[in-house]
Amino acid sequence: MFNLILFGPPGAGKGTQAIKIAEKFGWKHVSTGDILRAEVSQGTPLGLKVKSVMEAGHLVSDELLIEIMESVFVKNNAVNGFVLDGFPRTLKQAQELDGMLHKLGHAVTMVLALEVNEEELVKRLLKRAQEQGRLDDTEDVVKNRLVQYHHHTKPLIDYYKEKKLYQEVYGVGSIEDIFSQLCSVIKT
Ligand code: B4P
């Protein structure tokens, strides 16, 4: 089973590229951001719990994310690959993911990071705010999401570099060009 983590700061294009990769390789796309947003819009108990956290641009607790991912793996035990988009985002989540996959007899296959400068990230997210009105795309919240990324998520680069799983692709340019670069480094 191919377990690809698509990694990068908010706005790097993870969601955009994850959908295309999952379609091309026939893998299951799992976006923890999408899962959480669906809970919020349906007003479930989980959604009510995480709404204000997400709107402030903070990370949802590791415990909740781990619970969500455990159920994703249970429900999708017949797939031949995963594209994980937005998970893991903390060291604790990364360690728990290793444990979950290990129990299933699997492991992370590769971590592909989209490298995008901060000016471009802010530009993209503010554009999306105008187009889609996502509540966590306002200027202050975007800044906070970037702070959270630097503080909690960026350290995962070293974690995966040590495991020799980490690879970077330049994430500025056309969506199609970036997609073909990503595909060229995915060796199935
Ligand atoms: P996510 O939904 O994962 O939000 P994100 O990091 O901003 O990534 P997204 O997928 O939206 O951006 P993308 O780069 O695709 O998370 C939202 C929130 O959920 C978090 O802040 C947190 O609160 C919570 N959460 C989720 N997972 C969590 C976890 N594991 N632990 C704790 N909390 C968690 O796209 C950005 C924009 O750029 C789009 O408009 C796109 O069209 C555009 N774009 C893409 N590629 C482009 C290109 N090449 N050129 C120009 N624009 C491009």
Side-chain angles (χ1 to χ4, degrees):
M1 188 164 78
F2 204 102
N3 294 301
L4 171 69
I5 295 173
L6 208 52
F7 188 85
K14 302 184 296 288
T16 309
Q17 299 295 339
I19 292 168
K20 295 170 75 67
I21 293 170
E23 194 188 0
K24 178 179 164 85
F25 294 94
W27 298 333
K28 169 84 183 162
H29 172 213
V30 179
S31 158
T32 43
D34 286 351
I35 293 172
L36 291 167
R37 275 186 291 278
E39 298 281 343
V40 171
S41 69
Q42 287 159 27
T44 65
L46 172 61
L48 294 175
K49 220 188 263 183
V50 302
K51 187 171 188 277
S52 58
V53 178
M54 291 178 75
E55 283 176 4
H58 290 296
L59 292 181
V60 172
S61 78
D62 288 337
E63 287 67 29
L64 284 177
L65 261 298
I66 289 156
E67 222 178 288
I68 288 171
M69 287 308 294
E70 273 171 345
S71 98
V72 165
F73 286 124
V74 169
K75 279 185 204 150
N76 296 281
N77 58 359
V79 303
N80 62 353
F82 283 100
V83 186
L84 302 183
D85 154 19
F87 184 91
R89 257 181 162 94
T90 64
L91 198 55
K92 167 102 177 142
Q93 291 180 16
Q95 290 161 342
E96 292 283 342
L97 174 64
D98 285 343
M100 282 183 241
L101 290 173
H102 183 75
K103 267 196 240 161
L104 300 168
H106 300 296
V108 173
T109 315
M110 80 183 296
V111 179
L112 260 179
L114 288 162
E115 195 211 330
V116 178
N117 63 69
E118 207 139 313
E119 201 186 324
E120 172 74 12
L121 296 173
V122 174
K123 200 172 90 189
R124 286 183 190 179
L125 294 173
L126 296 183
K127 183 165 174 255
R128 187 170 63 185
Q130 286 173 346
E131 291 168 357
Q132 297 174 22
R134 227 175 86 169
L135 290 169
D136 59 349
D137 281 341
T138 61
E139 195 159 359
D140 283 352
V141 178
V142 163
K143 280 191 190 141
N144 189 30
R145 285 161 64 196
L146 288 168
V147 168
Q148 303 293 320
Y149 169 76
H150 285 289
H151 193 71
H152 297 287
T153 311
K154 218 175 165 190
L156 293 186
I157 295 176
D158 285 339
Y159 181 79
Y160 287 117
K161 272 187 179 167
E162 271 171 32
K163 292 176 181 287
K164 308 218 180 311
L165 295 172
Y166 184 84
Q167 206 160 334
E168 251 170 22
V169 163
Y170 188 53
V172 182
S174 81
I175 288 170
E176 283 311 320
D177 284 350
I178 296 163
F179 177 57
S180 41
Q181 282 188 59
L182 289 168
C183 291
S184 71
V185 294
I186 298 173
K187 305 274 178 263
T188 54

